[in-house]
Amino acid sequence: MVIEVSRRITRWVKNENPAVRSSEERFTALLALQISNYFPIIIALVLGFVSGKAIETIIGAVSVVSIRIMTGGGHFKNLDHCFIFSTIILATIPHISLNNELIFALTSASIVLVLTRSEQRKLFPIIIIVLNFFFVSSAAALAFIVQGISLTIKGR
């Protein structure tokens, strides 16, 4: 799905603008990665605004993306699977409310997962996660635990 949409856009762009010198394969691959990275966030934000959960959606998306960039994590072998999973996670997180005890438990578990599983052992992601003990956000706790779990999955 993602590759096919990217391929169609690539062909259209190359037909409309012959000055594009990138090979069709390279252009398609780069476009597919961009679609896979950004469209789940865009879809989640639209759904969050429509459902009245815009702030929670932004918190969840920023939490997932920032920690993922800093800690790495497993990848799906197929961009379609990544796209679907990311969209479902980002769109669902803001609509789940947790009690404080569960927020603290998930935040604590996230710290343990990042400390023990991240190949990029940096202090900054831990500091960001620890901040949730003060903000007590369901969206952040869920985002952090999902990212922490992704650290347990081996790469491509």
Side-chain angles (χ1 to χ4, degrees):
M1 172 178 80
V2 173
I3 296 289
E4 184 56 34
V5 168
S6 300
R7 187 173 290 120
R8 289 180 186 195
I9 293 170
T10 296
R11 287 181 184 147
W12 177 78
V13 167
K14 288 184 78 74
N15 285 338
E16 293 296 316
N17 188 355
V20 173
R21 299 202 187 277
S22 181
S23 73
E24 186 172 319
E25 294 80 23
R26 180 174 165 78
F27 196 99
T28 298
L30 292 172
L31 185 58
L33 285 174
Q34 298 308 310
I35 289 171
S36 182
N37 285 337
Y38 294 110
F39 272 69
I41 296 169
I42 293 167
I43 292 167
L45 287 171
V46 168
L47 293 173
F49 277 98
V50 169
S51 67
K53 297 285 187 177
I55 299 299
E56 294 87 344
T57 303
I58 293 167
I59 291 169
V62 168
S63 297
V64 168
V65 172
S66 63
I67 297 300
R68 181 134 181 109
I69 288 169
M70 290 184 269
T71 62
H75 294 276
F76 287 101
K77 292 180 181 180
N78 180 307
L79 279 180
D80 291 344
H81 297 157
C82 177
F83 179 87
I84 292 166
F85 181 79
S86 298
T87 303
I88 290 170
I89 291 298
L90 291 171
T92 303
I93 283 175
H95 297 92
I96 300 173
S97 294
L98 306 174
N99 64 39
N100 288 354
E101 291 78 18
L102 194 50
I103 292 170
F104 293 141
L106 291 178
T107 300
S108 298
S110 299
I111 292 168
V112 171
L113 286 169
V114 169
L115 281 172
T116 60
R117 298 297 187 141
S118 177
E119 293 176 8
Q120 305 168 16
R121 304 211 193 290
K122 298 178 183 173
L123 186 57
F124 198 57
I126 299 300
I127 292 169
I128 291 173
I129 297 170
V130 166
L131 287 174
N132 201 38
F133 288 121
F134 301 101
F135 293 115
V136 193
S137 166
S138 292
L142 289 164
F144 296 149
I145 197 65
V146 167
Q147 176 51 29
I149 292 167
S150 85
L151 295 172
T152 66
I153 300 167
K154 296 297 177 196
R156 294 182 217 209

